[in-house]
Amino acid sequence: MLIPHDTRIALDTVVDLVNTAPEGDRDDALTDVEALYGFVRSHDVSGVGDLTQRDLKAVHGVRSLFASVFAAPDSRTAAEVINRLVAAAGTTPQLTDHDGYDWHVHYFAPGASVADHLAADCGMALAFIVVAGEQERLRRCEAPDCGRAFVDLSRNRSRRYCDSRTCGNRLHVAAYRARRKAAG
């Protein structure tokens, strides 16, 4: 599956945003405005001015809707949520080149809030996945104690864990030890 660079960045951003939500024994990583500033900086979200508690609350709402896209049982359900997100963001697609990046499309309106910015750009990235018939690539880690979101970009859609070096390796080692114990 060929994914343009700006779409890949938006997919990485939406995955990271969804994974900031509290889940299981994982705490909320976006608990205050300072954490939101950190998220914005680490993901090079452009055009963001001063952030407030209101922005944080709005981003939490967008994050929740993105999480429901990853949990959607089918593409129609995912599309309904994505359409709501993108429409509410008041998208205004425009070509831009900035900060050393070549031409790409911004879907958010100039001066949009950080929540609308994320809803528009990340929502459109998810829309491209659904349009391509690849909604099943939006997954949750199969490790019993994880559940983090990820986009499976493997050629044969076989990725099961958010990170093969941590979750995948941990489960493989546990299975190996269980087999050795049973054999011996």
Side-chain angles (χ1 to χ4, degrees):
M1 172 171 204
L2 181 63
I3 298 176
H5 178 32
D6 55 323
T7 301
R8 178 59 197 253
I9 289 172
L11 288 172
D12 290 343
T13 300
V14 73
V15 163
D16 290 347
L17 179 61
V18 168
N19 288 334
T20 65
E23 187 169 314
D25 61 349
R26 214 173 47 235
D27 293 332
D28 192 334
L30 287 181
T31 56
D32 56 29
V33 174
E34 195 56 40
L36 181 57
Y37 271 116
F39 183 86
V40 165
R41 278 191 303 272
S42 68
H43 291 84
D44 292 325
V45 179
S46 61
V48 174
D50 291 335
L51 298 174
T52 66
Q53 196 66 32
R54 185 177 181 177
D55 291 308
L56 180 64
K57 185 177 179 181
V59 169
H60 282 172
V62 167
R63 176 180 72 181
S64 177
L65 289 170
F66 281 142
S68 69
V69 172
F70 278 82
D74 54 50
S75 59
R76 181 162 307 284
T77 305
E80 288 170 2
V81 175
I82 293 167
N83 283 340
R84 242 185 339 192
L85 274 162
V86 172
T91 58
T92 307
Q94 45 186 306
L95 285 168
T96 183
D97 64 340
H98 61 87
D99 300 327
Y101 294 105
D102 203 358
W103 288 107
H104 59 283
V105 179
H106 279 183
Y107 293 95
F108 56 93
S113 71
V114 66
D116 285 346
H117 179 135
L118 292 169
D121 271 2
C122 296
M124 289 305 299
L126 291 173
F128 289 130
I129 295 293
V130 172
V131 166
E134 301 287 352
Q135 189 244 338
E136 73 275 1
R137 290 183 182 271
L138 305 177
R139 299 202 176 148
R140 292 291 190 150
C141 183
E142 291 182 19
D145 59 342
C146 184
R148 293 174 63 86
F150 69 94
V151 179
D152 178 5
L153 296 177
S154 66
R155 184 176 295 227
N156 62 357
R157 298 175 191 85
S158 63
R159 190 169 154 199
R160 298 174 49 207
Y161 307 109
C162 64
D163 187 344
S164 60
R165 292 178 307 242
T166 55
C167 291
N169 191 46
R170 189 175 66 245
L171 288 175
H172 287 103
V173 167
Y176 170 76
R177 288 181 180 155
R179 283 192 306 272
R180 289 205 45 188
K181 185 177 181 178

